[in-house]
Amino acid sequence: MKIHQQDFQERRDTGTTQFEVPAQRPGAGSRTSAVQGAAPAASQPVPRPVPVPVPARAGHRFLIYKQDPSVVELGARLTFVPSVVLNGPTDARVRTELQGVTPVARNVNGDFVFAAGSPQFDCAHTFAVVRQAMAMYERHNGGNPIPFAWNVGGNTDRISVFPRAGVGANAFYSRTAKALKFLFFTPEGQPETNVVHTCRSFDIVAHETGHAILDGLKPGWLSADGPPQTGGLHESFGDITAIFLALAQPDQAEALVALTKANLHDKSFLADVAEEFGRALGMPSGLRNADNDLKLSQVGNEVHAISQVFTGAIYDVLADIFAFETDRQRRTKDPAVVLIEASAALCRLVFDAIVASPATGARYVDVANKMLQISSGRGDPAIYRTFIRNRFAVREITTAATPLTDLMSGRMNMTDADYTGDGRDVTEVEALDEHSASLRAEQDRSRCCGTMQMPEYQVIAPEKLAKRGSLEDDDILREDLDELRRAFSK
């Protein structure tokens, strides 16, 4: 039956459909004559009430690179930030600054969707990735906001994000500036038009945001006075933030499963950190490779190299848990769903272990032991803790509390939830070498990202850093200023 537009509009205006008859107005006459002796007319159907619409949820769409411009198989896609974002973009925690461009305005649909590569896109992309990284850890924090290091005593100051902060092959987080700054550069030997913007890398933005989040959780860990492993934890936390955040995106998890055939040790965009940036510096793939085989005895006291040992151990544990859960749930869940859940569970375990670790001078073994104890307390399968013990022991971080025979021979039972190696579910291990350069030497931060090279973390007393609170330029210059005061007071 055809319904003309005018007829449909009349019916919609009266609240009826093609199956309903408008109720008569009181006192109105019948449109048809009653027929004597005819059967009583059927009762008129009661019009159904118009459903009350679900209240609209606040939120905005952003166009972002899922990795960076060089990872063309993922490209730029829409993502949704489910909170109120003002023009800027800015919200209660983050604001974006780019001279001559910000505040960037939402479009007519209330979204921040701009042409990839434009200044407006850079602002929106960077803001969205920062916000997603914060949201991921807030979920693991019971939904509670994680303070920045200066958010004490009721201070609610935002962090400022500078997508194009200046020229240079770097990016950094500064507590003094309360900022994340992303630089841009032209690779050597390339045309001036081939500019690499670090803000366009999902990995780099997530990494630097990881520094800011960890500084809020453990403000004493950025001090250069700590052992190299403490610095390594900071750099590693940045890299694993990028990994866990990528796997919190369902489309990335699904793409990864298809690309690797559900084998996380196959080469992929996940293990290669900051692909475009790494290639611009002459490296074969990314800036770092999370799926590595580095051991502590191979890295000395250089913080970036040390960080890859911890990152590699966590990546191996993720691959082990995913393999185990894929087999256990192969008939009930899609592998991409299994990967998302396994990654989220491990991310929360690492997060909780870091929160429970020492406020200063933290070592890899401290985090490993907290992971073992928390995993046991929350009822994970015993094989999870076997994975943790094995992977940290192979990296020469801890002693092998249970045999590594099955692991090293490739005969480890990856399907037995109760497997421990010898029947003992050990939840505390020792550092393999207490005299390791990674524990005893001074930190070598020469190859670190800009965050670890900031003077504030080199010269400000670790006790002051560990107390949280805002930092000023005078805090960095404190020693020189005190010397001048003494000289001028004579």
Side-chain angles (χ1 to χ4, degrees):
M1 178 174 64
K2 294 183 179 179
I3 301 178
H4 294 289
Q5 181 64 33
Q6 181 180 359
D7 187 29
F8 175 80
Q9 184 64 43
E10 289 174 354
R11 295 183 184 191
R12 193 175 75 170
D13 291 344
T14 58
T16 66
T17 68
Q18 65 189 52
F19 303 107
E20 297 172 340
V21 178
Q24 288 186 341
R25 296 185 303 274
S30 172
R31 293 184 180 180
T32 58
S33 301
V35 179
Q36 188 174 6
S43 60
Q44 300 297 325
V46 178
R48 291 173 294 184
V50 177
V52 178
V54 175
R57 299 293 299 174
H60 312 270
R61 290 175 293 187
F62 288 74
L63 186 67
I64 68 170
Y65 282 118
K66 287 294 180 172
Q67 282 291 294
D68 64 38
S70 72
V71 186
V72 293
E73 63 265 34
L74 295 180
R77 301 185 187 182
L78 287 175
T79 192
F80 181 65
V81 175
S83 59
V84 176
V85 181
L86 306 179
N87 289 343
T90 187
D91 65 5
R93 303 300 312 278
V94 182
R95 68 178 180 185
T96 316
E97 295 190 21
L98 179 54
Q99 186 174 6
V101 176
T102 54
V104 172
R106 300 181 297 269
N107 63 22
V108 293
N109 296 317
D111 300 323
F112 294 88
V113 178
F114 306 100
S118 66
Q120 293 79 8
F121 170 88
D122 289 348
C123 293
H125 162 89
T126 311
F127 174 92
V129 178
V130 169
R131 213 59 189 84
Q132 287 182 330
M134 293 174 62
M136 178 179 72
Y137 285 120
E138 287 171 353
R139 291 194 293 270
H140 297 316
N141 196 39
N144 299 311
I146 297 171
F148 297 120
W150 53 86
N151 293 148
V152 295
N155 177 294
T156 60
D157 288 353
R158 301 173 176 89
I159 193 168
S160 296
V161 175
F162 295 81
R164 299 184 180 185
V167 178
N170 222 321
F172 60 90
Y173 154 72
S174 168
R175 191 195 301 186
T176 302
K178 300 177 184 177
L180 293 168
K181 297 192 176 185
F182 301 92
L183 310 183
F184 54 91
F185 67 102
T186 301
E188 186 176 355
Q190 294 194 20
E192 293 184 1
T193 54
N194 291 359
V195 179
V196 174
H197 290 82
T198 60
C199 73
R200 294 177 188 170
S201 168
F202 181 97
D203 291 342
I204 293 175
V205 176
H207 177 103
E208 298 304 331
T209 307
H211 279 304
I213 291 169
L214 186 53
D215 195 34
L217 295 170
K218 295 292 178 181
W221 283 17
L222 266 176
S223 171
D225 281 358
Q229 283 191 19
T230 309
L233 284 169
H234 236 288
E235 286 291 1
S236 179
F237 188 80
D239 283 351
I240 62 179
T241 294
I243 291 169
F244 287 136
L245 186 58
L247 295 180
Q249 319 291 314
D251 58 341
Q252 291 209 52
E254 186 175 28
L256 183 74
V257 168
L259 180 65
T260 65
K261 297 183 179 179
N263 176 12
L264 296 193
H265 291 301
D266 199 359
K267 182 172 175 58
S268 71
F269 62 83
L270 184 69
D272 287 337
V273 179
E275 291 90 332
E276 182 185 44
F277 187 79
R279 293 190 186 101
L281 298 183
M283 299 177 182
S285 52
L287 188 62
R288 285 178 297 282
N289 177 23
D291 188 18
N292 63 71
D293 297 316
L294 289 171
K295 301 175 181 179
L296 278 182
S297 63
Q298 299 172 319
V299 296
N301 66 330
E302 198 282 304
V303 171
H304 245 173
I306 292 170
S307 76
Q308 293 183 82
V309 178
F310 188 87
T311 302
I314 296 298
Y315 191 91
D316 284 346
V317 173
L318 173 63
D320 290 344
I321 292 175
F322 177 51
F324 167 75
E325 292 294 350
T326 299
D327 180 79
R328 184 162 74 159
Q329 303 184 72
R330 65 186 183 280
R331 298 186 186 280
T332 58
K333 288 183 181 177
D334 184 278
V337 175
V338 174
L339 178 56
I340 293 169
E341 293 176 350
S343 174
L346 182 58
C347 182
R348 180 172 182 178
L349 180 59
V350 174
F351 176 85
D352 289 344
I354 284 175
V355 170
S357 292
T360 57
R363 306 167 300 164
Y364 290 177
V365 67
D366 297 323
V367 180
N369 279 330
K370 293 301 182 184
M371 289 176 65
L372 291 169
Q373 293 153 17
I374 294 169
S375 172
S376 178
R378 74 184 190 184
D380 291 337
I383 198 170
Y384 278 31
R385 293 178 290 286
T386 304
F387 296 149
I388 295 168
R389 286 191 301 269
N390 286 352
R391 295 307 182 180
F392 278 91
V394 166
R395 303 281 177 158
E396 300 176 346
I397 294 169
T398 66
T399 56
T402 51
L404 299 176
T405 308
D406 292 347
L407 174 69
M408 302 307 290
S409 65
R411 296 195 300 270
M412 182 174 167
N413 187 345
M414 297 291 289
T415 62
D416 180 4
D418 297 323
Y419 174 82
T420 65
D422 64 354
R424 296 183 303 134
D425 191 2
V426 177
T427 58
E428 186 165 2
V429 292
E430 301 292 332
L432 179 65
D433 182 8
E434 293 286 358
H435 299 285
S436 167
S438 67
L439 290 172
R440 298 283 183 175
E442 292 185 359
Q443 291 188 28
D444 175 2
R445 297 184 168 189
S446 59
R447 294 172 56 196
C448 291
C449 73
T451 297
M452 303 293 283
Q453 297 185 40
M454 295 296 291
E456 59 204 83
Y457 311 126
Q458 305 278 348
V459 301
I460 295 178
E463 297 79 15
K464 182 171 180 62
L465 288 175
K467 288 181 180 179
R468 290 195 176 91
S470 299
L471 298 177
E472 307 294 337
D473 287 345
D474 281 2
D475 293 315
I476 302 173
L477 302 173
R478 180 65 54 204
E479 185 175 336
D480 290 341
L481 289 171
D482 288 346
E483 183 178 347
L484 287 173
R485 288 189 186 97
R486 288 192 296 269
F488 297 158
S489 63
K490 294 177 182 179

